[in-house]
Amino acid sequence: MDRTTREALPAVNVEVNGQAAALLVKLMGDLKTEQPLAVLTRALGMLEQAVSAKAKGQRLGVYDPASGRFVDLVI
């Protein structure tokens, strides 16, 4: 989706439960931002990458070079 298409989309209001709200507030603190949309955009971007990788038969995860371990992100 190109920038023009994204900008043409309407804003969407999202209601979250208490657990999701608490996690959002925690992540806002971890990322030192007061903008919930900044956190949600990053999270949705990571989820999109994971779904895309899975559809291609690829893996998305975290690699620790010190131990050689690769941990898949769960979607």
Side-chain angles (χ1 to χ4, degrees):
M1 183 181 317
D2 66 23
R3 183 181 181 119
T4 304
T5 303
R6 286 192 308 263
E7 290 173 355
L9 295 173
V12 176
N13 292 319
V14 177
E15 186 174 323
V16 297
N17 64 23
Q19 183 178 0
L23 181 55
L24 179 58
V25 170
K26 179 199 177 297
L27 289 169
M28 287 169 60
D30 292 348
L31 295 170
K32 297 176 178 49
T33 182
E34 294 182 7
Q35 303 297 319
L37 189 56
V39 175
L40 292 173
T41 301
R42 286 178 172 181
L44 291 171
M46 285 298 299
L47 180 58
E48 191 278 329
Q49 288 181 14
V51 169
S52 178
K54 186 175 181 180
K56 296 175 188 174
Q58 299 172 335
R59 298 165 63 193
L60 183 67
V62 178
Y63 175 69
D64 177 17
S67 67
R69 281 187 54 196
F70 181 87
V71 179
D72 289 284
L73 293 179
V74 177
I75 53 170

